[in-house]
Amino acid sequence: MSPQQLYTIAAALWLPTVALAQSTPASPGQTYPGKAVRLIVPFPPGGSTDLMGRVLGAKLGEAFNQQVIVENRPGASGMIGNELVARAAPDGHMLTMGTIGAMAVNQSLFKSVPYDSTRDFAPVTLTGNVENLLVVHPSLPARDVKALIALAASKPGLLIFASSGTGNAPHLAGELFNQLAQVKMVHLPYKGGGPAMIDLVAGQVSLSFASMPSSLPFARSGKLRALAVGGAKRSPAAPEIPTVAESGLPGFDVTDWQGLLAPARTPAVVIERLNREVIRILGEREVKDRLAAAGLQVATNTPTQFAEFIRAEIDKWGKVIRAAGIKPE
């Protein structure tokens, strides 16, 4: 057989393979992102969720060599922005910053929610939390959690706890405290944490499960008394302050969390890449320090773990809301 004939046979065998390779489309993981990514923050600018979104947006843009546009879409307790993402194309080019309220509490607090947190989203990872601090006015004769429980039990309906609004983490913390301690403190909602803190410092209300960034400076200065941290572990920002659980109320754990989610049915390879990049970004010391300075503690997990966490939070707070008879403002 001549060299020319051998070449012709080899070419005939090789060309279909080349054609097949050229016609095989690249996987979503290889091409993502193929255009600008929109990261929705379903709250106004300036809060902790907005800060996390902007940090992730800038860093993901660098990692992807693609623009990541952070958009604030506030309204309806986070439901306007989240509905936008729930209805978006499931390709990872629109994401949302989900929170305890918008993803877990709203499912039980409102009669009508335009999305299902467990069905309409693909969780990427938990990103962090803002710790809450149980603080009381110095005039209150309670220097620890057990003393506060005893005082509340002796004065049913007289102790008032402030929060930054109905259905948020400080409010739910107070209701969970009532249920676990079997006491009756009265909730007074404010239009934001700032007004609530002003009245607490002035002695107009008795106590609050306030965000640590806003309350710890007042506790350090003596204008408030810090009794306990609301989460399951002591805070690195104030390791000397015990948790509520270790101070006499086992099972108490309130974390004002946030995380990244995509629309349901987004390809697993896209979710995995996002998870990998976000965990890498939040592991950077510079990023951790910047977030910690604003009271945000980094926390990450796998997509499966985050999905399980959201389901557990919906169940947990649904029970608290129903038992307390909480209604939206």
Side-chain angles (χ1 to χ4, degrees):
M1 185 177 294
S2 69
Q4 181 61 40
Q5 290 174 313
L6 288 173
Y7 174 80
T8 301
I9 294 172
L13 293 172
W14 177 70
L15 283 173
T17 305
V18 172
L20 179 62
Q22 290 176 338
S23 65
T24 302
S27 70
Q30 293 173 316
T31 59
Y32 177 81
K35 58 183 178 180
V37 175
R38 296 169 64 191
L39 175 52
I40 304 300
V41 175
F43 302 101
S48 61
T49 308
D50 181 62
L51 172 61
M52 179 66 80
R54 293 188 182 279
V55 168
L56 290 179
K59 290 288 187 176
L60 285 172
E62 294 174 5
F64 292 153
N65 194 29
Q66 184 68 263
Q67 188 176 18
V68 177
I69 303 167
V70 179
E71 296 183 25
N72 295 91
R73 291 295 188 98
S77 299
M79 290 189 286
I80 290 177
N82 281 338
E83 182 184 12
L84 182 67
V85 177
R87 298 180 183 279
D91 57 11
H93 289 93
M94 186 178 287
L95 310 169
T96 188
M97 293 299 305
T99 63
I100 180 176
M103 284 292 154
V105 175
N106 286 359
Q107 298 294 312
S108 297
L109 183 60
F110 294 94
K111 290 183 179 179
S112 178
V113 179
Y115 54 82
D116 185 299
S117 296
T118 61
R119 185 190 64 217
D120 296 333
F121 296 92
V124 175
T125 179
L126 194 67
T127 55
N129 61 73
V130 178
E131 295 175 293
N132 292 315
L133 192 62
L134 171 54
V135 285
V136 302
H137 190 267
S139 64
L140 203 70
R143 295 190 170 274
D144 56 36
V145 170
K146 289 183 178 179
L148 177 62
I149 293 173
L151 182 64
S154 69
K155 298 177 180 291
L158 294 183
L159 296 188
I160 299 174
F161 72 94
S163 85
S164 51
T166 298
N168 60 22
H171 175 204
L172 295 173
E175 298 294 356
L176 182 61
F177 190 96
N178 274 341
Q179 292 173 24
L180 293 179
Q182 298 183 349
V183 296
K184 180 57 180 176
M185 301 187 299
V186 178
H187 174 233
L188 181 60
Y190 286 77
K191 293 183 178 180
M197 190 56 55
I198 289 172
D199 271 11
L200 178 57
V201 171
Q204 300 300 313
V205 292
S206 306
L207 66 145
S208 180
F209 289 84
S211 72
M212 186 170 286
S214 65
S215 59
L216 188 58
F218 289 107
R220 298 282 196 222
S221 68
K223 294 181 179 180
L224 296 176
R225 182 184 302 128
L227 300 189
V229 175
K233 298 179 180 179
R234 294 195 182 202
S235 169
E240 74 281 6
I241 303 176
T243 66
V244 173
E246 70 179 286
S247 300
L249 207 57
F252 189 95
D253 179 13
V254 181
T255 301
D256 192 355
W257 55 265
Q258 54 186 239
L260 186 68
L261 302 99
R265 297 176 299 281
T266 297
V269 289
V270 172
I271 297 299
E272 289 164 5
R273 185 175 182 199
L274 281 166
N275 176 270
R276 186 168 60 251
E277 293 291 353
V278 170
I279 290 176
R280 178 190 60 78
I281 290 166
L282 294 180
E284 295 179 4
R285 175 50 55 190
E286 175 190 357
V287 171
K288 279 187 174 182
D289 290 345
R290 179 182 176 187
L291 294 173
L296 265 168
Q297 299 296 322
V298 167
T300 59
N301 54 11
T302 68
T304 299
Q305 289 169 336
F306 191 24
E308 292 172 350
F309 175 78
I310 292 172
R311 284 193 290 269
E313 286 286 281
I314 291 172
D315 182 60
K316 173 181 178 178
W317 295 118
K319 292 176 181 177
V320 171
I321 288 168
R322 289 188 291 273
I326 301 172
K327 304 294 182 184
E329 293 178 343

